[in-house]
Amino acid sequence: MKKLFTLKNVLICILFTIFLLFVKDNFSVVWNAICMFASILTPFVIGFLFAYILNFPYKFFYSKVFGFLKNKKAFFAKMRKPLSIICTYTAVIAVLGFLIAILVPQIGDNISSLVERVPSYFNSVYEWLSSVADWANKTYNANIDIDASFAQLGKEIANNLNGTTIANFSKNVLFDTLLPMITNTTAGIYNFIMGIVISVYFLSAKEMLCRQVKRLAVAFIPIKFLPKVYEIVDITDTKCGRFLVGDIIDAAFIGVLTFITMSIFQLPYAALIAVLIGVTNIIPFFGPFIGAIPSAIILFLESPWDMIIFIAIVFVIQQLDGNLFKPKIIGSQVGLSSFWVLFSVIVGGSLFGMVGFILGTPIYAVIYTLIGKRVKNAIDSKGKIAQEALDFEVLNYVKIATEQKKIREEKENAQKEKLLKFIKPDKHTNSESDDDNKDGKE
């Protein structure tokens, strides 16, 4: 049996090696298959995310608003879930519709105004560069000619355009840029709409789906590993899921607060900048900078004084968000220091792009929590001496060595006592058997 088991493991290793070699030799085919499979599942992923986010208001309606239907007749009890789902989507659509009705017209006006003022912004940049060049020429004799530099830049652009035929240019624009953009936009709209529809089914059938997943886990995962699997799922829900939902709520709140504050101070492009600040605020650590820097540049081209006011507003809002709003909305779900937040954002963004920027922190928080629990259990198992070794102020190597020696001696004595308990009865029984033999001989 042991030989067969060993042979089975060897065959599994050989088959797995062959599979890896096949993937290596046909990586492009395998990758295209994975991408096609992922594109097919994209609406379900979007629907699951929508359902997970909407599960929080759904639970409010299900338990608080329509909780009284639980003890009513069967018909009213069955209406509890559909009423909760209808109210959830109605409330979300109402809030989004209200924000769109307020923000979209203003964002459109801001974008059109920004496009109209682009030439004046170029003139402002040109005048600023000219003044800097004049100062450098007078102070350091730098011989910088801004007009010649701009003329050379225009000549290079003209040469590149002349070197490219209109047919090739149209072909490149149409087939390489415009057509993929239309295709991706259509696919994105389709996935978004289907995701909303699928989220309704996810939300209405979540108990059944959870029960089916649990049955699969119990059926195919060894029982000794199930507590650890359930722990990982619980920590992931706490650290990753609730953080994501809370971060979205916090980002929306910051965007609205930025819009209101900029409107009070009558700063231009309030709606456009508020949306940019709110969306980028979802990204931990770097989000406020990503949204604030281009906004400050736009306001600087409009008026340096507006930029100064905007920077002061962003600074105050971010201080309130970091010390008041975010702890209240998200709580201590992440439990990471600033260093580990920075680490998780950089590593996640480098590996997975924008998704890594957003989800890097909560995913790393899950890993950090699991490792922290394992370390704590290992330290606790070593007893008092390990706790003393953690405190560098009372660290005493002689004391540690003495304590370890004492523990070893106690273990050795305990083992000796166990051996004596087994040996002594044997001696007693042997002496009794000798006496019986003597009696028999007599």
Side-chain angles (χ1 to χ4, degrees), residues 272-287:
L272 181 63
I273 291 174
V275 172
L276 182 61
I277 292 291
V279 171
T280 57
N281 202 72
I282 297 175
I283 302 173
F285 197 85
F286 291 111

Side-chain angles (χ1 to χ4, degrees), residues 37-50 187 190-199 202:
F37 185 70
S39 64
I40 294 172
L41 292 180
T42 298
F44 292 91
V45 175
I46 295 174
F48 174 78
L49 291 176
F50 282 158
Y190 169 78
N191 291 333
F192 182 80
I193 295 174
M194 290 303 298
I196 295 176
V197 175
I198 292 171
S199 68
F202 268 123

